[in-house]
Amino acid sequence: MIIAQLSDIHANGSSERLERLDAVVDWLMPMQPDILIVSGDLAEDDFSQSYRAVQKRLEGFGCPYFVVPGNVDNHAEMRDVFGRRFGWSRDWPLNVSGVVGDLRIIGLDVTVEGAHHGDAAPVLDWLADELRSEMLPTLIFQHQHPFPTGIDGKDRNVCFNGDALAEVIESAGDSVIGLTCGHVHRALFTRFAGRHATMAPSIKKANMLRLDGRESAVVDPPGLLLHHWSEGRLVSHVVMVG
């Protein structure tokens, strides 16, 4: 099973943002993913038109897809476009959950109104209930990262209450196979709650990599993650499209 992860599209009504998205969509289409997930920041302006443009591209794959908001998304406009598909009855939080084949996808809305950081605390009870409902292999995705990245200046906008989130995941036993996010506009790999943890590259321009006061020029094109789930193993691939 192939799960394609897009993140940080930041559609704003301009052709430039959608052209970057279209480059990734064009590359991805022949892969025929089984599931699409978008880990937040779908749009940052011209919200209604931008969400509908993103929706059109996601539906073009003809496979199940799931989205969660990021810190620049507009919850009310996002619910207006995607709400019927995901059964959203209010503007906050916009969590998602679904089963495709033998895999469950859970998307957590960890955003905080008016803030760049996230907070897992408000959705932990909901997550625990979801994890108890069926003991299926589960991939969790969200926008803000609950683990440190080591990138200078980025971890002030981490997802707060990561330790509590880790406890909920650990209490689910072996059912959670991994957690993935976006937000920092860079691909990376680490461990969280003893599981595979990843961050997707962005559709919008990547952020500069700054580690221990050292930095590199930004040269990354738009990209995505492809997660391959087979025989009880999750493997994640970075693809940069440029």
Side-chain angles (χ1 to χ4, degrees), residues 172-190:
D174 294 332
S175 63
V176 178
I177 60 172
L179 179 144
T180 190
C181 59
H183 190 44
V184 178
H185 295 208
R186 299 210 61 84
L188 61 82
F189 302 83
T190 186

Side-chain angles (χ1 to χ4, degrees), residues 66-105:
F66 303 87
V67 303
V68 294
N71 53 287
V72 301
D73 281 305
N74 181 302
H75 277 62
E77 295 281 5
M78 195 166 174
R79 177 191 168 197
D80 183 60
V81 174
F82 295 102
R84 181 174 298 180
R85 180 182 186 91
F86 299 119
W88 290 333
S89 59
R90 53 181 179 162
D91 291 345
W92 219 295
L94 301 181
N95 299 320
V96 293
S97 180
V99 176
V100 182
D102 68 341
L103 185 67
R104 177 172 49 188
I105 301 294

